[in-house]
């Protein structure tokens, strides 16, 4: 067993297929995942690799992954994070390890049936560089379904990313797209959307969706909200533009009201000692302030995107059969 302490950079494809799976506290599902995933991949009869990224699990997930690595070292690689950096960072770290001509992302909890993988591979080989998925029948709570439906609509309106179902992580990417994603040093990101922005020939297929095999969702309401902010701010400045627009409309409206009240003041005389005139003036100023803040936000948002160049995650070890790791 080789343990290297840094991630590999892009290497020429040496296997046909890489399956990338983020794992966070999934001890109850991992064995069932191994039992279903490996037979599907073996049946493809092509060289493949499965890359698990342990995202700082506090349960026995890391041990289970190490055991699986020992059972199937020729086709299994395990990246061990030394903390919890989130699902999308875990997938990014997996992408940096990908040696396949095609990469497939999958959730560990078996909500995405591994049996769908051959269909995704076929779609890539039919000439698409990105294969998105639409869940035929989504098996999640009603709240999750409704909230994510609304977010889906909002994203569709304010970004140029067009996906029928943004939430499903069972997706396929071709090698060139993976290389492009690896060149992005996005910190807070949403991988299906990021990949879509670069895809030349994207397509979507319908896939089955199952209930979580065991354990519970790793996303609290709070982290779901954070994730959706990443999705919106990472791919659109429209919210900031709305802010500026509201400020503009407000100041125009208040300006008109102010004029009206000034005229009224001289024609009919002061009302309530001129209090309303004062209000109008105040609204006018508030409108200008909102506009100013919105405009500032436009700049700050862009600068912030540009300057934050922190490491995105930290890998403590990589379990893999041969060391191809290159120091970054
Ligand atoms: N996950 C992760 N890091 C996290 C949260 C989740 O690697 O901080 C993994 C998790 O183990 C699973 C996938 O991301 O493989 C999707 O998580 P989950 O099923 O909890 O999300 P949901 O299906 O509820 O959206
Ligand atoms: Mg899930």
């Amino acid at each position: 067993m080789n343990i290297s302490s840094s991630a590999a950079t892009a290497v020429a494809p040496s296997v046909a297929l890489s399956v990338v799976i983020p794992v966070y506290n999934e001890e109850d599902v991992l064995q069932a995942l191994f039992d279903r995933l490996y037979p599907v991949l073996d049946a493809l009869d092509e060289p493949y690799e499965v890359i698990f990224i342990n995202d700082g699990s506090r349960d026995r997930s890391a041990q289970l992954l190490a055991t699986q690595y020992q059972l199937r070292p020729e086709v299994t690689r395990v990246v061990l994070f030394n903390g919890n950096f989130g699902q999308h960072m875990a997938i990014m770290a997996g992408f940096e390890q990908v040696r396949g001509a095609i990469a497939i992302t999958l959730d560990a909890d078996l909500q995405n049936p591994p049996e769908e993988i051959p269909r995704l591979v076929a779609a890539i080989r039919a000439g698409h560089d990105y294969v998105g998925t639409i869940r035929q029948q989504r098996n999640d709570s009603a709240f999750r379904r409704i909230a994510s439906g609304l977010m889906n609509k909002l994203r569709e309106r304010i970004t140029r990313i067009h996906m029928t179902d943004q939430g499903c992580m069972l997706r396929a990417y071709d090698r060139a797209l993976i290389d492009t994603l690896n060149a992005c040093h996005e910190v807070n990101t949403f991988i299906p959307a990021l990949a879509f922005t670069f895809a030349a020939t994207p397509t979507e297929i319908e896939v089955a969706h199952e209930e979580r095999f065991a354990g519970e969702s790793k996303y609290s309401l709070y982290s779901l909200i954070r994730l959706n902010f990443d999705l919106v701010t990472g791919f659109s400045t429209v919210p900031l533009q709305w802010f500026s627009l509201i400020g503009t409309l407000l100041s125009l409206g208040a300006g008109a009201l102010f004029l009206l009240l000034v005229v009224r003041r001289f024609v009919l005389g002061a009302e309530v000692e001129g209090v309303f005139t004062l209000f109008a003036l105040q609204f006018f100023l508030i409108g200008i302030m909102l506009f100013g803040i919105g405009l500032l936000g436009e700049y700050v948002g862009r600068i912030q995107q540009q300057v934050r160049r922190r490491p995105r995650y930290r890998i403590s070890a990589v379990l893999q059969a041969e060391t191809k790791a290159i120091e970054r």
Side-chain angles (χ1 to χ4, degrees), residues 22 24 26 55 84 87 108-109 111 144 212 217-219:
Y24 180 53
E26 302 284 11
D55 187 15
N84 180 233
Q87 178 186 1
D109 60 359
Q111 287 200 279
R144 284 287 295 268
R212 188 170 238 289
S217 172
K218 306 298 177 264
Y219 281 97

Side-chain angles (χ1 to χ4, degrees), residues 197-266:
T197 56
F198 298 115
T201 50
T203 187
E204 287 182 327
I205 62 170
E206 290 207 349
V207 293
H209 190 242
E210 295 174 8
E211 270 182 52
R212 188 170 238 289
F213 177 79
E216 43 188 45
S217 172
K218 306 298 177 264
Y219 281 97
S220 62
L221 181 61
Y222 176 74
S223 42
L224 275 178
I225 293 173
R226 300 293 338 139
L227 186 69
N228 280 300
F229 268 118
D230 287 344
L231 178 61
V232 169
T233 60
F235 299 94
S236 169
T237 46
V238 169
L240 287 173
Q241 288 159 356
W242 283 346
F243 199 33
S244 317
L245 206 67
I246 292 169
T248 313
L249 292 178
L250 251 169
S251 39
L252 285 179
L257 185 64
F258 179 56
L259 274 181
L260 186 80
L261 287 172
V262 168
V263 172
R264 198 194 126 106
R265 167 83 174 74
F266 288 110

Side-chain angles (χ1 to χ4, degrees), residues 102 119-129 131 201 203:
I102 300 172
R119 293 182 51 227
L120 289 160
V121 172
I124 291 273
R125 293 200 172 139
H128 298 285
D129 58 353
V131 185
T201 50
T203 187

Side-chain angles (χ1 to χ4, degrees), residues 254-313:
L257 185 64
F258 179 56
L259 274 181
L260 186 80
L261 287 172
V262 168
V263 172
R264 198 194 126 106
R265 167 83 174 74
F266 288 110
V267 178
L268 299 175
E271 75 298 315
V272 209
E273 307 286 312
V275 165
F276 289 140
T277 322
L278 197 66
F279 267 134
L281 183 65
Q282 207 167 5
F283 283 144
F284 180 59
L285 290 179
I286 290 174
I288 290 179
M289 271 163 62
L290 270 178
F291 175 69
I293 294 171
L295 201 62
L296 261 180
E298 293 269 0
Y299 290 99
V300 176
R302 286 185 174 85
I303 296 168
Q304 183 238 29
Q305 282 172 351
Q306 207 63 48
V307 299
R308 286 208 325 199
R309 299 181 64 185
R310 299 182 206 148
R312 296 170 299 164
Y313 41 78

Side-chain angles (χ1 to χ4, degrees), residues 127-189:
H128 298 285
D129 58 353
Y130 173 95
V131 185
T133 48
I134 307 165
R135 290 168 285 195
Q136 272 157 356
Q137 183 165 20
R138 189 169 170 191
N139 284 300
D140 274 317
S141 68
F143 169 74
R144 284 287 295 268
R145 284 203 310 272
I146 293 165
S148 104
L150 290 174
M151 270 314 295
N152 216 30
K153 284 211 182 74
L154 180 70
R155 191 253 320 132
E156 199 72 28
R157 288 187 80 109
I158 67 174
T159 68
R160 290 174 192 193
I161 296 158
H162 303 294
M163 294 187 278
T164 313
D165 181 2
Q166 66 190 24
C168 186
M169 288 311 288
L170 175 60
R171 278 160 204 272
Y173 311 91
D174 81 353
R175 177 77 236 174
L177 199 51
I178 293 291
D179 289 341
T180 308
L181 293 181
N182 285 341
C184 295
H185 293 278
E186 301 262 325
V187 180
N188 300 303
T189 198

